[in-house]
């Protein structure tokens, strides 16, 4: 069955000057919906093309179903590839696009016909079998591309930004249809995207990539609730980042981080030393906010500078008493709202604060998307 193993794979371009994939190792399990997530230029599409056999690795090994495939051509790897741009044959109708793979493989006509019908019924497009691509919507063309990839009998599906060219509402609906289809057919899927909401909604596990490297692999909940790298805390969801020093290390896995102007925050964790410079991250929805100035443990005073209504949530931009800026997100159904210019107290729950060693190149550089 099509589990995929990538072992110490490196790929460089421009005579080695641009390292697109840098010593990456991954294990994608059989029947898993796995996503490669990261900003543009991080190497995720290059890695997908390496697995597909469209380009060859400079170093490392790639296994599909336990077979070393470094020297195996794409057509013999048992994969289906779905591109962002659909890549349908414009002069062929839907039926001929979908049955192209079986015909090229010289399957019997009865078998090709049966598979073509099954695939088009599965993606709910059998009634449009005689349409040509330009007569279809973007969502329909993507479903045709998916049916074509599956018609050739692939059990490993590679998807390169498959929903990126669709409008927001179609993209939202089709991503759940895509996952259901993969699970119903018991396929293994590797899905490339830069959209973290898309990845967290449909994936069993996600590999977060940056500058050719894999920073962390985990299920969506793990990546959101327990990021191991500061960039993961930034890219999965949203976080406020503040700088400080460890001023005190206590027992029971507690220590104190002193922010600018000596403002203290108690944090849970271990492995940090007194005097160490750190960066803390906290999710906007994890913060607590109250009217007025009420000095409590792990709370800071601030002033609301901006209010944005976002439907289910309200987003508050707050300037803290030491000059740092943060964002607090609260459900709009709560009775207590705040106005611009209002003085507030912001609570930082110790158990919801992530602490990272301060980046050598600085916080701004470490969080940059390119």
């Amino acid at each position: 069955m099509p589990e995929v193993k990538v072992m110490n794979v490196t790929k460089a371009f421009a005579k080695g000057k641009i390292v697109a994939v840098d010593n990456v190792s991954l294990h994608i399990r059989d029947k898993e919906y796995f996503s490669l997530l990261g900003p543009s230029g991080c190497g995720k599409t290059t890695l997908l093309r390496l697995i597909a056999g469209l380009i060859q690795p400079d170093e490392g090994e790639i296994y599909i179903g336990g077979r070393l495939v470094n020297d195996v051509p794409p057509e013999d790897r048992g994969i289906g590839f779905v591109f962002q741009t659909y890549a349908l044959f414009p002069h062929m109708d839907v039926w001929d696009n979908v049955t192209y793979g079986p015909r090229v493989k010289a399957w019997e006509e009865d078998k090709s016909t049966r598979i073509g019908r099954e695939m088009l019924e599965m993606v709910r497009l059998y009634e449009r079998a005689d349409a040509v691509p330009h007569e279809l919507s973007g969502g329909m063309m993507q479903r045709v591309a998916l049916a074509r990839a599956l018609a050739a009998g692939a059990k490993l599906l590679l998807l390169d930004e498959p929903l990126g060219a669709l409008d927001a509402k179609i993209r939202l609906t089709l991503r759940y249809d895509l996952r259901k289809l993969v699970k119903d057919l018991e396929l293994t899927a590797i899905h490339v995207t830069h959209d973290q909401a898309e990845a967290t909604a449909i994936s069993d596990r996600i590999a977060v990539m940056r500058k050719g490297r894999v920073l962390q692999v985990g299920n969506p909940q793990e990546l959101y609730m327990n990021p191991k790298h500061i960039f993961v805390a930034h890219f999965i969801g949203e976080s406020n980042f503040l700088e400080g020093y460890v001023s005190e290390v206590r027992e029971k896995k507690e220590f104190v981080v002193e922010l600018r102007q000596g403002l203290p925050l108690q944090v849970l964790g271990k492995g940090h030393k007194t005097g160490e410079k750190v960066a803390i991250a906290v999710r906007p929805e994890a913060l607590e906010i109250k009217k007025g100035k009420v000095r409590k443990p792990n709370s800071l005073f601030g002033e609301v500078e901006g209010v944005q209504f976002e439907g289910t949530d309200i987003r508050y931009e707050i300037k803290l008493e030491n000059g740092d800026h943060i964002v607090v997100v609260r459900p709009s159904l709560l009775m207590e709202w705040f106005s611009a210019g209002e003085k507030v107290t912001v609570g930082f729950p110790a158990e919801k604060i992530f602490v990272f060693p301060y980046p050598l190149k600085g916080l701004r550089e470490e969080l940059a998307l390119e």
Side-chain angles (χ1 to χ4, degrees), residues 54-78:
L54 301 177
I55 54 177
Q56 302 303 311
D58 298 328
E59 300 176 12
E61 298 175 333
I62 299 173
Y63 294 84
I64 298 177
R67 178 176 65 147
L68 179 64
V69 296
N70 283 41
D71 298 321
V72 176
E75 61 270 22
D76 294 330
R77 296 193 181 197

Short mmCIF file of all heavy atoms in Angstrom, two decimals, residues 54-78:
data_model
loop_
_atom_site.label_atom_id
_atom_site.label_comp_id
_atom_site.label_asym_id
_atom_site.label_seq_id
_atom_site.Cartn_x
_atom_site.Cartn_y
_atom_site.Cartn_z
N LEU A 54 8.92 14.00 -11.00
CA LEU A 54 9.06 15.02 -12.04
C LEU A 54 10.44 15.66 -12.02
O LEU A 54 10.90 16.18 -13.04
CB LEU A 54 7.98 16.10 -11.86
CG LEU A 54 6.54 15.59 -11.92
CD1 LEU A 54 5.55 16.73 -11.66
CD2 LEU A 54 6.25 14.94 -13.27
N ILE A 55 11.11 15.64 -10.88
CA ILE A 55 12.50 16.05 -10.75
C ILE A 55 13.20 15.03 -9.86
O ILE A 55 12.54 14.29 -9.13
CB ILE A 55 12.65 17.47 -10.18
CG1 ILE A 55 11.88 17.61 -8.85
CG2 ILE A 55 12.18 18.52 -11.17
CD1 ILE A 55 12.03 18.96 -8.19
N GLN A 56 14.51 15.00 -9.93
CA GLN A 56 15.28 14.01 -9.18
C GLN A 56 16.00 14.67 -8.00
O GLN A 56 16.48 15.79 -8.11
CB GLN A 56 16.31 13.34 -10.10
CG GLN A 56 15.70 12.66 -11.30
CD GLN A 56 14.67 11.62 -10.92
OE1 GLN A 56 14.92 10.77 -10.05
NE2 GLN A 56 13.50 11.68 -11.54
N PRO A 57 16.10 13.98 -6.87
CA PRO A 57 16.82 14.54 -5.72
C PRO A 57 18.33 14.54 -5.95
O PRO A 57 18.87 13.69 -6.66
CB PRO A 57 16.44 13.60 -4.57
CG PRO A 57 16.13 12.29 -5.24
CD PRO A 57 15.53 12.64 -6.56
N ASP A 58 19.00 15.53 -5.37
CA ASP A 58 20.47 15.55 -5.39
C ASP A 58 21.03 14.57 -4.38
O ASP A 58 22.08 13.97 -4.61
CB ASP A 58 20.98 16.96 -5.09
CG ASP A 58 20.53 17.98 -6.12
OD1 ASP A 58 20.38 17.61 -7.30
OD2 ASP A 58 20.30 19.14 -5.74
N GLU A 59 20.32 14.44 -3.26
CA GLU A 59 20.73 13.51 -2.21
C GLU A 59 19.47 12.89 -1.60
O GLU A 59 18.39 13.47 -1.66
CB GLU A 59 21.53 14.21 -1.11
CG GLU A 59 22.82 14.87 -1.56
CD GLU A 59 23.50 15.63 -0.44
OE1 GLU A 59 23.09 15.45 0.73
OE2 GLU A 59 24.42 16.40 -0.72
N GLY A 60 19.63 11.72 -0.97
CA GLY A 60 18.55 11.09 -0.24
C GLY A 60 17.78 10.08 -1.06
O GLY A 60 18.04 9.86 -2.25
N GLU A 61 16.79 9.47 -0.41
CA GLU A 61 16.01 8.39 -1.01
C GLU A 61 14.53 8.62 -0.80
O GLU A 61 14.10 9.17 0.23
CB GLU A 61 16.42 7.05 -0.40
CG GLU A 61 17.89 6.69 -0.64
CD GLU A 61 18.29 5.42 0.07
OE1 GLU A 61 17.66 5.09 1.11
OE2 GLU A 61 19.20 4.73 -0.41
N ILE A 62 13.73 8.17 -1.77
CA ILE A 62 12.27 8.26 -1.70
C ILE A 62 11.70 6.87 -1.93
O ILE A 62 12.05 6.19 -2.90
CB ILE A 62 11.73 9.24 -2.76
CG1 ILE A 62 12.28 10.65 -2.51
CG2 ILE A 62 10.20 9.26 -2.73
CD1 ILE A 62 11.93 11.64 -3.61
N TYR A 63 10.83 6.46 -1.01
CA TYR A 63 10.19 5.14 -1.09
C TYR A 63 8.68 5.32 -1.18
O TYR A 63 8.09 6.12 -0.45
CB TYR A 63 10.51 4.30 0.15
CG TYR A 63 11.97 3.91 0.29
CD1 TYR A 63 12.89 4.78 0.88
CD2 TYR A 63 12.43 2.67 -0.15
CE1 TYR A 63 14.22 4.44 1.01
CE2 TYR A 63 13.77 2.31 -0.03
CZ TYR A 63 14.66 3.19 0.55
OH TYR A 63 15.98 2.84 0.68
N ILE A 64 8.06 4.57 -2.09
CA ILE A 64 6.60 4.53 -2.20
C ILE A 64 6.17 3.07 -2.08
O ILE A 64 6.59 2.23 -2.87
CB ILE A 64 6.10 5.12 -3.52
CG1 ILE A 64 6.48 6.60 -3.62
CG2 ILE A 64 4.59 4.96 -3.65
CD1 ILE A 64 6.08 7.27 -4.94
N GLY A 65 5.38 2.78 -1.06
CA GLY A 65 4.97 1.40 -0.84
C GLY A 65 6.13 0.47 -0.58
O GLY A 65 6.09 -0.71 -0.97
N GLY A 66 7.17 0.96 0.06
CA GLY A 66 8.33 0.15 0.38
C GLY A 66 9.33 0.00 -0.76
O GLY A 66 10.38 -0.63 -0.58
N ARG A 67 9.04 0.60 -1.92
CA ARG A 67 9.92 0.47 -3.08
C ARG A 67 10.71 1.76 -3.28
O ARG A 67 10.14 2.85 -3.30
CB ARG A 67 9.11 0.16 -4.33
CG ARG A 67 9.95 0.05 -5.61
CD ARG A 67 9.12 -0.35 -6.82
NE ARG A 67 8.14 0.66 -7.18
CZ ARG A 67 7.76 0.90 -8.46
NH1 ARG A 67 8.28 0.20 -9.45
NH2 ARG A 67 6.85 1.81 -8.70
N LEU A 68 12.03 1.65 -3.43
CA LEU A 68 12.87 2.79 -3.74
C LEU A 68 12.53 3.27 -5.15
O LEU A 68 12.61 2.50 -6.12
CB LEU A 68 14.35 2.42 -3.66
CG LEU A 68 15.36 3.53 -3.98
CD1 LEU A 68 15.27 4.67 -2.99
CD2 LEU A 68 16.78 2.95 -4.02
N VAL A 69 12.15 4.55 -5.29
CA VAL A 69 11.66 5.04 -6.58
C VAL A 69 12.52 6.17 -7.16
O VAL A 69 12.11 6.82 -8.11
CB VAL A 69 10.19 5.53 -6.47
CG1 VAL A 69 9.26 4.37 -6.13
CG2 VAL A 69 10.06 6.66 -5.45
N ASN A 70 13.71 6.36 -6.63
CA ASN A 70 14.56 7.45 -7.13
C ASN A 70 14.72 7.42 -8.65
O ASN A 70 14.74 8.46 -9.31
CB ASN A 70 15.94 7.39 -6.47
CG ASN A 70 15.93 7.93 -5.06
OD1 ASN A 70 14.99 7.67 -4.30
ND2 ASN A 70 16.94 8.69 -4.67
N ASP A 71 14.86 6.22 -9.21
CA ASP A 71 15.09 6.08 -10.65
C ASP A 71 13.86 5.58 -11.40
O ASP A 71 13.96 5.20 -12.58
CB ASP A 71 16.27 5.13 -10.90
CG ASP A 71 17.57 5.67 -10.30
OD1 ASP A 71 17.79 6.89 -10.39
OD2 ASP A 71 18.34 4.86 -9.74
N VAL A 72 12.71 5.58 -10.74
CA VAL A 72 11.47 5.12 -11.38
C VAL A 72 10.76 6.30 -12.01
O VAL A 72 10.55 7.33 -11.36
CB VAL A 72 10.55 4.43 -10.34
CG1 VAL A 72 9.22 4.03 -10.99
CG2 VAL A 72 11.25 3.22 -9.73
N PRO A 73 10.38 6.23 -13.30
CA PRO A 73 9.69 7.36 -13.95
C PRO A 73 8.32 7.60 -13.34
O PRO A 73 7.72 6.70 -12.74
CB PRO A 73 9.59 6.90 -15.41
CG PRO A 73 9.70 5.42 -15.37
CD PRO A 73 10.59 5.10 -14.22
N PRO A 74 7.79 8.81 -13.49
CA PRO A 74 6.50 9.17 -12.86
C PRO A 74 5.37 8.21 -13.22
O PRO A 74 4.55 7.86 -12.35
CB PRO A 74 6.23 10.58 -13.40
CG PRO A 74 7.57 11.13 -13.73
CD PRO A 74 8.39 9.96 -14.19
N GLU A 75 5.31 7.78 -14.47
CA GLU A 75 4.18 6.95 -14.90
C GLU A 75 4.20 5.56 -14.27
O GLU A 75 3.19 4.84 -14.31
CB GLU A 75 4.17 6.81 -16.43
CG GLU A 75 5.40 6.16 -17.03
CD GLU A 75 6.50 7.16 -17.38
OE1 GLU A 75 6.51 8.27 -16.81
OE2 GLU A 75 7.34 6.81 -18.22
N ASP A 76 5.32 5.17 -13.67
CA ASP A 76 5.41 3.86 -13.04
C ASP A 76 5.39 3.93 -11.51
O ASP A 76 5.70 2.94 -10.84
CB ASP A 76 6.69 3.15 -13.51
CG ASP A 76 6.67 2.81 -15.00
OD1 ASP A 76 5.56 2.58 -15.52
OD2 ASP A 76 7.74 2.81 -15.63
N ARG A 77 5.06 5.08 -10.96
CA ARG A 77 5.04 5.23 -9.50
C ARG A 77 3.66 5.01 -8.90
O ARG A 77 3.49 5.07 -7.68
CB ARG A 77 5.57 6.61 -9.09
CG ARG A 77 7.03 6.82 -9.46
CD ARG A 77 7.64 8.03 -8.78
NE ARG A 77 9.04 8.19 -9.18
CZ ARG A 77 9.92 8.95 -8.53
NH1 ARG A 77 9.55 9.62 -7.45
NH2 ARG A 77 11.16 9.05 -8.97
N GLY A 78 2.64 4.83 -9.72
CA GLY A 78 1.30 4.59 -9.20
C GLY A 78 0.68 5.79 -8.53
O GLY A 78 -0.02 5.66 -7.52
#
